Amino acid sequence: MHRLLGLIIGLLLLLSQPLASHAAEVLQVRSATLLQVGDRNRNYTVQLACIDVAVDDQQRAQDWLRAELPRRRRVNLRPEGSADGVLIARVTPLGDELDLGAALIQEGLAQSTCLEG
């Protein structure tokens, strides 16, 4: 129960500053759009924002993400929201300019789901 409360508080803190970036470490690429990340003493699931990966491209996209995000790679998170306890964020590896969702789109492995404004 305390762990769940800590996760909720952590997510609320992240979401209270939607334009800020927060560094975290990648612990695992769970799927073509889901990452497990760690930030100090917390672990949480992050969904890449604004992309959709077709069923036929799921494995290739996951393999591409694993190549780009070895375990412990540091990334910046720019929260966009949350759903079902999962943080939805734009994720950019430290030292890179392009967020991973946009990179997957450029690789032809995903489609954009957000309107650019």
Side-chain angles (χ1 to χ4, degrees):
M1 184 66 167
H2 291 293
R3 183 180 171 134
L4 179 60
L5 182 59
L7 177 62
I8 291 169
I9 290 170
L11 286 173
L12 288 173
L13 287 173
L14 283 174
L15 295 175
S16 69
Q17 301 173 358
L19 298 177
S21 292
H22 301 276
E25 286 186 347
V26 174
L27 302 176
Q28 179 184 19
V29 174
R30 292 178 50 191
S31 75
T33 60
L34 288 176
L35 307 174
Q36 191 72 28
V37 300
D39 181 10
R40 297 183 201 111
N41 61 352
R42 299 178 307 223
N43 293 340
Y44 44 93
T45 302
V46 175
Q47 179 177 332
L48 299 178
C50 295
I51 65 165
D52 181 54
V53 178
V55 173
D56 292 345
D57 291 326
Q58 292 281 324
Q59 188 62 53
R60 287 180 35 227
Q62 184 172 349
D63 292 344
W64 185 89
L65 278 176
R66 284 187 174 146
E68 293 295 312
L69 295 174
R71 187 169 166 80
R72 301 289 180 205
R73 174 87 191 257
R74 294 192 54 78
V75 294
N76 278 331
L77 304 175
R78 290 184 315 280
E80 299 267 329
S82 67
D84 300 321
V86 174
L87 177 65
I88 301 168
R90 293 186 186 259
V91 179
T92 305
L94 289 182
D96 287 348
E97 296 290 322
L98 192 61
D99 79 77
L100 293 169
L104 281 167
I105 292 167
Q106 283 187 354
E107 291 290 322
L109 298 171
Q111 299 295 317
S112 177
T113 60
C114 291
L115 297 174
E116 298 300 321

